[in-house]
Amino acid sequence: MTKRIEAVNDFVVKFANVNGSGSASANELFARSILRMGVPVSPRNIFPSNIQGLPTWYEVRVNERGYQGRRGGVDLMVAMNPQTWNQDVQEIEAGGYLFHDNSKPLPASKFRDDVNVIGMPLTDICNATYTDPRQRQLFKNIIYVGALSALLDIDPSEIEKLFSEQYKGKETLLQSNIKALRLGREYAQQHFAPIGLRVRRTNGVGHKIFVDGNSAAALGAVYGGATVCAWYPITPSSSLAEAFIRYAQKYRVDPATGKHRFAVVQAEDELASIGVVIGAGWNGARAFTCTSGPGISLMQEFIGLAYFAEIPAVIIDVQRGGPSTGMPTRTQQSDLLACAYASHGDTKHVLLFPEDPTECFDFAAQAFDLADRLQTPVFVMTDLDIGMNTRLCAPFAWDDTRVYDRGKVMTYEELEAGKEFGRYLDVDGDGIPYRTYPGAHPKRGAYFTRGTTKDRYARYSEAGPDYVENMQRLLRKHETAKTLLPKPVLTPAARPARFGAIYYGSTSPAMQEALDVLAERGVHINALRVRGFPFQDEIADFIARHPWVFVIEQNRDAQLKSLLVNEAKVNAAHLISILHYDGTPITARFIVEQVSKHAAARTVIPFKKAVS
């Protein structure tokens, strides 16, 4: 007999449901109730790209130590979808638990001998309690949450408080949900013995906040001074624009006149949306768009225009699986090369890599300063895992005395005093010229904006020296960008380490846990989290200090590794790719297994002189 799993505040629960069944809100209620007991949770919603009918999963990592990444494996499976039964049962760890609706008996072949089965007649209970078919479906979800609260020792008062907040002023809905919750809880208390998984109240949450990356980036855009958002709906970025609208309606409306101090344009396509952003940026507004991989593909021509005409623009790319339509509701880090070199010809763009909602807020705000300072498009590279899933993270911080960096803008007074103006004239060697806002002066400071070649005074020119000078200046600007981007973050090993690891973005939560597990197994690794491109010298120096460096990323073609070799000029022989790209967030177990395998293969065996 397999020993059952025993764990307090450290387990994984996965819900297998059907999309459109109303399960998502109930599953989130389950996660939030544990959070209210002071226990860190990290939920992930895995949903299909249709409205209803296909399988959906909701995975909740419960971990008192605060690990936010996917661990891998499931300790308790709540199997509510017959279509995915076989694969769901196979995911359960030996000694784990299977909770299911046993209103319709299943043959013994559908179960595993090493899994503890908890069958509850959910359909029968709902049919006996409710007459409306929709109520039967919706309240089935609440009933199983009630049963789980009893099985896991979750305080039901926390769930009822969440109901009170959700249905404030709607007494009928409040009472009906509480009734369903208690119905499930009482049944479980009467029919089931306690299981080995338990939630114990603690204080592991502290002052952290629980928010998704798209909402955080939208708020960061507001604080960063954005007044224009142009977008075309695309998963998984649409909720970012929607959140910006909500925040702008709260913070960008004149209290005296009621007039909006912002503009939101839902364009006819992605190319039009980036065109609006470029037009607004040329006029001096802070503007952005949010999109995903297919949108980046459609924006290519205008991105090149903004780069060559040197117009500020912010693009928030919430990455998903590709190529083409790919996996619209799955996560990947698949757009690095597409964004770094977006458009035709010789182009190089600035990229920011946030690891969580806190950095989504910080980097979104910073992107507008960078775009203005560098007079160029700036990409904030998030992904579905960060953007659409809620995370525990540090509270957002903002300095009210902070002054926006508008970069080199020549004023009316400077123009009036006769200061020389050349739109593409580099006066101090950093590659960044001065610009003027439209209408700054009635006679001076005007220039013609073009996507064709020009000289330093914005005059059309196909002369080779003018073109080369301009392209070299853009490279100097790219070098200047290195000094402005967030520095990489080093996590040194506790003991001397032969191996290094480089990672970025949403890989971070799983990586933090993997480093701890590897260290416990005697594999010590110095880790460097990259936060921006172009790469600072610290990154090449880090690689040079190690015989081997793992580059851990979530795409097939090792895109970060390619950038490191191409742009940081590092020796590819030092780099070992660890690649995860099945559309699910990378797990700590995957990283540990892959790193351990490669590390073992590169163990140095000391030379021993033969004894004659």
Side-chain angles (χ1 to χ4, degrees), residues 353-355 359 487-489 503-505 508 527-531:
F353 306 129
E355 70 165 345
E359 286 195 343
K487 294 285 188 180
V489 177
Y503 63 102
Y504 65 102
S508 182
L528 190 73
R529 180 167 67 90
V530 176
R531 299 201 292 170

Side-chain angles (χ1 to χ4, degrees), residues 231-253:
W231 66 299
Y232 184 79
I234 181 172
T235 302
S237 70
S238 294
S239 62
L240 199 160
E242 292 161 355
F244 178 79
I245 293 170
R246 293 195 304 271
Y247 292 132
Q249 288 172 339
K250 184 174 182 179
Y251 298 114
R252 288 267 186 273
V253 177

Side-chain angles (χ1 to χ4, degrees), residues 569-590:
K569 308 303 180 187
V570 300
N571 186 347
H574 286 290
L575 305 180
I576 305 167
S577 286
I578 304 293
L579 305 174
H580 183 278
Y581 51 91
D582 67 359
T584 62
I586 194 169
T587 66
R589 285 185 180 179
F590 178 85

Side-chain angles (χ1 to χ4, degrees), residues 519-536:
E520 290 169 1
R521 297 182 181 182
V523 181
H524 300 283
I525 295 176
N526 295 318
L528 190 73
R529 180 167 67 90
V530 176
R531 299 201 292 170
F533 171 77
F535 302 127
Q536 298 98 337

Side-chain angles (χ1 to χ4, degrees), residues 435-478:
R435 62 176 172 143
T436 58
Y437 295 141
H441 193 283
K443 297 180 180 179
R444 298 170 183 163
Y447 62 94
F448 193 78
T449 302
R450 61 174 80 247
T452 50
T453 58
K454 59 268 182 180
D455 67 10
R456 63 185 64 179
Y457 297 100
R459 298 174 300 205
Y460 177 76
S461 172
E462 292 187 11
D466 286 337
Y467 176 75
V468 170
E469 179 185 340
N470 203 37
M471 294 298 286
Q472 288 299 118
R473 181 181 56 77
L474 290 172
L475 282 181
R476 291 198 299 275
K477 181 198 289 192
H478 202 63

